[in-house]
């Protein structure tokens, strides 16, 4: 399997604290990788580094063998999308509008695109709302006219997932998307991830619910002490004593 | 008072999930204000000469407040140099009329370009700083611009005594006298407010609004946060300059004192008074200001104090502004009608 996303020798220090020592990680074409680790292992930090929200102290991120650099918006346009562990949305926008913001990665690619959207904005509504609605429905997010400030935590997460998926990314990274989400939502998100896998996209999935992650991932990566402690097929990992000691043992 | 039973949750589940899609909520207010403006113009403004002046003051404050609407109330960017943007429009008219052979109508794009450029520069120098710095820098710029035009102005601005002798605008064979200018002003206000109400709900508008709530979220959505911030600042400044253009054409002279920084603080209140959930709130706020200004000698004397006090009272009692009250009443009436339908 060829690598879609590759993290090479990533390290991150916060002042004197070492969050990540050395991480090498790949996500292949059409592969769902489950990234697990105890609290504070550095999973979110790694996602932040890949998406450009945090600068690494060391190492590089490659998408299809080309280094990705620069601010998050640029990486989003290059095909990397993500959700946040603590949902980052606008509470005054509706769920539908929050999700639609992800369309910026394709529709506001260049200053020219931005100007075009601006010029059109007063005249006609060219946003593909039906597409947004369909995507939301597929992950179990309904009643999209609700203002985001009034919905449950689970629906906020789903809105974030929707915003990440509407970008039609090559690689999507979900940082604990499931807490607070009901069964229907979990099934919806998993189905959407399977579809992405079928389309040859890559998924990096972080969640503390190992059962859910194991049910869909092609491969697990466990990070502990800032390094990859073990990685491999799901069954092998789950059976290994290292996995139990370094993750379940700690948790 | 009738007591209505809230339908049990199971009732709602039986309704098939309708995907009504997104309703266009911009048309109703636009039609309302179109009718209101037509009535205001023919029924009131034309009746007396000084009504035309009030209508022009309304136009100017509306455009000023509409200018602030996008950067401030959608984007959370506190730009306080709006007196300078207003002056850019007015002085573009006066200077082009008196010192150049450029057609007067070009004062509109030239004033807008000067104002937008100023806003861009101020936005750029503060782009790695916080919103607090933008407020500080623009306040300084607005004050400096006022000092500059009211003193030497490089021999361009006529100092404190300003510039007179602005001819009537002649466009496509129509001479824009006072009546025509007021009509054009009202049309401009209507168009700008309508366009902004649509912009607010469009992808770039949503981008500005998401960026206000969370820049990381906007960034990972692919929104070019720096450009969209600059664009909203420039857009607001250009709209503000239009107010200056109209006032200068109306009065045929300009005075530096009309562009003192105080005007910004007055304008800041207007969208809040009307309600910030739609750009029409800025228009309502401007209307209220003109009405109150008529009711007493407001802007002179103790006016600002009374206005400030009254505004504060409205803001505390009605956090959604005047539109918020109407919207509340409307949604209450609607949910009542729905419940009655069901029974
Ligand atoms: N901005 C920061 N400044 C200092 N230390 C930080 C910062 N962000 C994260 N850390 C530290 O880096 C380490 C990794 O944190 P991170 O949030 O990436 O872990 P995680 O695996 O996502 O944990 P969780 O499962 O709780 O979400 C932690 O020790 C954390 O305290
Ligand atoms: Mg985390």
């Amino acid at each position: 399997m060829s690598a879609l996303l590759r993290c090479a020798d990533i390290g991150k220090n916060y002042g004197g604290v070492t969050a990540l020592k050395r991480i090498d990680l790949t996500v292949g074409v059409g592969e769902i990788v489950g990234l697990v680790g105890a609290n504070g292992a550095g999973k979110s930090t790694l996602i932040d580094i890949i998406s450009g929200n945090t600068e690494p102290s060391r190492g590089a991120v490659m998408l299809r063998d080309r280094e990705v650099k620069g601010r998050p918006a640029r990486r989003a346009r290059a095909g990397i999308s993500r959700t946040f562990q603590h949902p980052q949305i606008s509470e005054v926008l509706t769920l539908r509008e929050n999700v639609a913001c992800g369309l910026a990665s394709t529709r506001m690619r260049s200053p020219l695109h931005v100007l075009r959207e601006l010029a059109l904005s007063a005249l006609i509504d060219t946003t593909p709302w039906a597409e947004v609605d369909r995507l939301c429905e597929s992950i179990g997010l309904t009643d999209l006219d609700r203002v985001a400030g009034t919905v449950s935590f689970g629906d906020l997460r789903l809105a974030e997932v929707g915003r990440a998926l509407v970008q039609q990314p090559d690689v999507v990274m979900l940082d604990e998307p499931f807490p607070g989400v009901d069964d229907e939502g979990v099934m919806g998100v998993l189905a959407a991830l399977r579809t992405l896998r079928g389309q040859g996209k890559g998924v990096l999935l972080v969640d503390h619910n190992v059962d859910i992650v194991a049910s869909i991932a092609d491969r697990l990566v466990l990070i502990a002490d800032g390094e990859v402690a073990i990685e491999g097929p799901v069954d092998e990992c789950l059976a290994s004593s290292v996995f139990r000691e370094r993750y379940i043992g700690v948790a | 008072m009738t007591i209505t039973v809230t339908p049990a949750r199971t009732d709602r589940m039986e309704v098939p999930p309708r995907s009504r899609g997104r309703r266009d909520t911009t048309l109703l207010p636009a039609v309302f204000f179109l009718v209101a403006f037509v009535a205001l113009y023919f029924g009131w403004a034309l009746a007396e000469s000084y009504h035309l002046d009030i209508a022009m003051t309304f136009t100017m404050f509306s455009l000023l407040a509409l200018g602030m609407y996008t950067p401030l109330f959608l984007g959370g960017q506190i730009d306080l140099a709006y007196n300078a943007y207003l002056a850019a429009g007015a002085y573009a008219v006066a200077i082009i009329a008196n010192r150049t052979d450029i057609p007067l109508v070009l004062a509109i794009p030239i004033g807008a370009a000067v104002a937008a450029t100023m806003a861009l520069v101020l936005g750029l120098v503060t782009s790695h700083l916080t919103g607090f710095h933008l407020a500080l820098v623009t306040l300084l710029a607005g004050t400096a611009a006022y000092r500059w035009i009211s003193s030497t102005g490089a021999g361009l601005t006529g100092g404190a005594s300003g510039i007179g002798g602005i001819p009537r605008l002649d466009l496509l064979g129509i001479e824009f006298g006072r009546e025509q200018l007021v009509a054009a002003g009202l049309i401009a206000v209507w168009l700008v407010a309508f366009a902004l109400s649509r912009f607010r709900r469009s992808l770039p508008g949503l981008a500005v609004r998401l960026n206000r709530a969370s820049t990381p979220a906007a960034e990972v959505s692919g929104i070019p946060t720096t450009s969209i911030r600059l664009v909203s600042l420039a857009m607001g400044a250009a709209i503000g300059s239009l107010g200056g253009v109209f006032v200068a054409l109306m009065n045929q002279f300009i005075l530096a004192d009309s562009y003192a920084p105080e005007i910004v603080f007055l304008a800041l209140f207007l969208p809040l008074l009307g309600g910030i959930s739609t750009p029409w709130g800025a228009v309502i706020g401007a209307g209220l200001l003109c009405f109150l200004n008529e009711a007493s000698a407001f802007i002179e004397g103790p006016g600002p104090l009374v206005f400030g006090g009254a505004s504060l009272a409205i803001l505390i009692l009605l956090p959604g502004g005047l539109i918020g009250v109407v919207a509340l009443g409307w949604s209450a009436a609607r949910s009542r009608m729905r419940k009655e339908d069901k029974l």
Side-chain angles (χ1 to χ4, degrees):
Chain A
M1 207 176 320
S2 61
L4 189 56
L5 179 79
R6 183 192 303 278
C7 297
D9 197 22
I10 299 259
K12 176 72 186 176
N13 308 313
Y14 287 108
V17 182
T18 303
L20 295 173
K21 261 188 231 156
R22 209 194 71 228
I23 299 281
D24 289 292
L25 177 142
T26 59
V27 178
V29 171
E31 188 182 32
I32 299 179
V33 174
L35 180 64
V36 293
N39 288 317
K43 307 178 292 292
S44 298
T45 301
L46 183 60
I47 289 183
D48 282 345
I49 288 169
I50 296 170
S51 66
N53 293 87
T54 298
E55 276 299 308
S57 309
R58 197 153 46 90
V61 178
M62 327 279 276
L63 184 67
R64 294 208 167 84
D65 292 330
R66 290 184 54 186
E67 184 166 4
V68 284
K69 279 186 167 168
R71 55 196 307 168
R74 213 175 126 188
R75 302 184 191 208
R77 285 176 228 133
I80 296 176
S81 83
R82 68 166 292 179
T83 66
F84 291 92
Q85 183 172 355
H86 305 286
Q88 301 271 328
I89 49 108
S90 165
E91 296 197 339
V92 300
L93 298 184
T94 64
L95 291 175
R96 179 187 283 114
E97 290 170 336
N98 268 296
V99 171
C101 284
L103 293 167
S105 65
T106 48
R107 298 175 72 90
M108 295 171 85
R109 306 189 69 83
S110 69
L112 225 59
H113 281 82
V114 174
L115 287 180
R116 195 189 79 112
E117 287 285 331
L118 259 176
L120 287 178
S121 69
L123 305 172
I124 44 168
D125 191 351
T126 55
T127 312
W129 293 108
E131 208 176 287
V132 173
D133 284 17
R134 224 176 307 122
L135 176 85
C136 290
E137 205 170 318
S138 77
I139 56 170
L141 187 62
T142 52
D143 234 340
L144 303 175
D145 284 320
R146 283 177 297 161
V147 174
T150 66
V151 308
S152 69
F153 197 60
D155 282 348
L156 284 188
R157 290 198 175 290
L158 286 180
E160 276 229 340
V161 173
R163 189 177 68 203
L165 295 182
V166 87
Q167 299 179 28
Q168 300 189 308
D170 291 332
V171 176
V172 61
M173 305 183 288
L174 305 183
D175 196 350
E176 301 198 18
F178 298 125
V181 175
D182 61 16
D183 290 348
E184 196 186 339
V186 173
M187 291 306 157
V189 172
L190 293 182
L193 296 186
R194 283 190 198 98
T195 307
L196 285 176
R197 169 162 62 191
Q199 293 166 345
K201 314 290 187 187
V203 177
L204 190 60
L205 177 62
V206 172
D207 205 272
H208 279 290
N209 188 329
V210 179
D211 290 341
I212 299 181
V213 177
S215 75
I216 189 165
D218 301 304
R219 196 152 55 84
L220 285 184
V221 174
L222 171 71
I223 46 179
D225 294 330
E227 291 178 303
V228 175
I230 181 171
E231 67 174 308
V234 176
D235 296 339
E236 275 177 34
C237 280
L238 291 180
S240 115
S241 58
V242 176
F243 188 87
R244 269 170 292 159
E245 274 164 33
R246 306 297 294 272
Y247 179 48
I248 301 176
V250 180
Chain B
M1 179 105 187
T2 52
I3 297 168
T4 47
V5 181
T6 315
R9 182 147 165 78
T10 47
D11 288 358
R12 281 193 49 199
M13 305 289 273
E14 279 161 22
V15 179
R18 320 163 271 173
S19 192
R20 276 177 295 124
R22 195 167 182 250
R23 275 172 309 148
D24 190 343
T25 55
T26 62
L27 292 177
L28 194 67
V31 171
F32 172 82
F33 279 95
L34 184 64
V35 173
F37 278 18
V38 169
L40 188 80
Y41 183 69
F42 289 104
W44 178 80
L46 292 182
E48 304 231 18
S49 180
Y50 83 99
H51 287 179
L52 288 172
D53 293 305
I54 300 173
M56 185 48 80
T57 306
F58 166 74
T59 298
M60 183 201 74
F61 273 111
S62 292
L63 290 170
L64 205 52
L66 284 170
M68 292 181 168
Y69 183 77
T70 304
L72 183 57
F73 295 101
L74 297 185
Q77 302 287 330
I78 305 180
D79 180 344
L80 298 175
Y82 272 77
N83 64 312
Y85 307 149
L86 196 67
Y91 280 87
V93 169
I95 293 171
I96 284 172
N98 277 301
R99 305 184 199 232
T100 69
D101 296 326
I102 302 172
L104 192 49
V105 66
L106 292 185
I108 298 172
I110 291 172
V114 170
T117 307
M118 270 187 75
L120 276 179
V121 170
L122 295 171
L124 268 173
V125 298
T126 55
S127 57
H128 294 295
L129 306 172
T130 66
F132 170 71
H133 292 93
L134 178 69
L136 219 61
V137 168
T138 52
L139 183 59
L140 190 68
T143 310
Y146 169 59
R147 292 261 178 257
W148 186 71
I149 56 177
S150 56
S151 56
T152 61
L156 269 178
T157 64
S161 49
I163 306 177
I166 300 170
R168 287 288 173 216
L169 174 65
D170 205 324
L171 194 60
L172 307 168
I174 306 172
E175 200 204 56
F176 278 75
R178 287 161 53 83
E179 296 180 356
Q180 290 79 5
L181 279 170
V182 168
L186 291 176
I187 292 171
V189 169
W190 186 85
L191 283 175
V192 169
F194 184 41
L196 287 181
S197 71
R198 295 183 69 84
F199 166 80
R200 183 175 171 275
R201 292 162 48 89
S202 71
L203 187 57
L206 297 177
V208 168
R209 295 163 74 191
L210 180 63
N211 186 37
R212 177 190 195 172
S214 163
T215 298
E219 279 281 331
V220 304
S221 302
I223 293 165
T225 53
T226 307
S227 348
I228 203 101
R229 170 178 176 268
L230 292 175
V231 164
S232 72
L233 288 172
M235 209 168 98
I239 292 170
S241 78
L242 200 55
V245 168
F246 275 111
V247 171
L249 288 174
M250 181 81 170
N251 296 340
Q252 299 187 278
F253 66 86
I254 52 177
L255 283 178
D257 271 353
S258 315
Y259 306 98
E262 283 101 273
I263 201 168
V264 178
F265 300 107
L266 209 52
L268 267 176
F269 267 109
L270 303 181
L272 289 169
L273 284 180
I276 57 170
S277 61
T278 149
W280 295 108
V283 176
I284 291 181
L288 192 69
L289 173 71
C290 293
F291 173 76
L292 289 178
N293 188 34
E294 260 323 274
S296 64
F298 245 87
I299 297 179
E300 317 293 329
L305 207 61
V306 181
F307 180 69
S311 304
L312 206 59
I314 292 186
L315 293 181
I316 291 168
L317 297 173
L318 316 170
L322 291 176
I323 285 184
V325 179
V326 178
L328 265 182
W330 170 249
S331 69
R334 246 193 2 187
S335 67
R336 218 189 150 102
M337 280 189 304
R338 278 218 203 101
K339 280 178 187 164
E340 275 164 14
D341 277 352
K342 280 194 183 141
L343 291 177

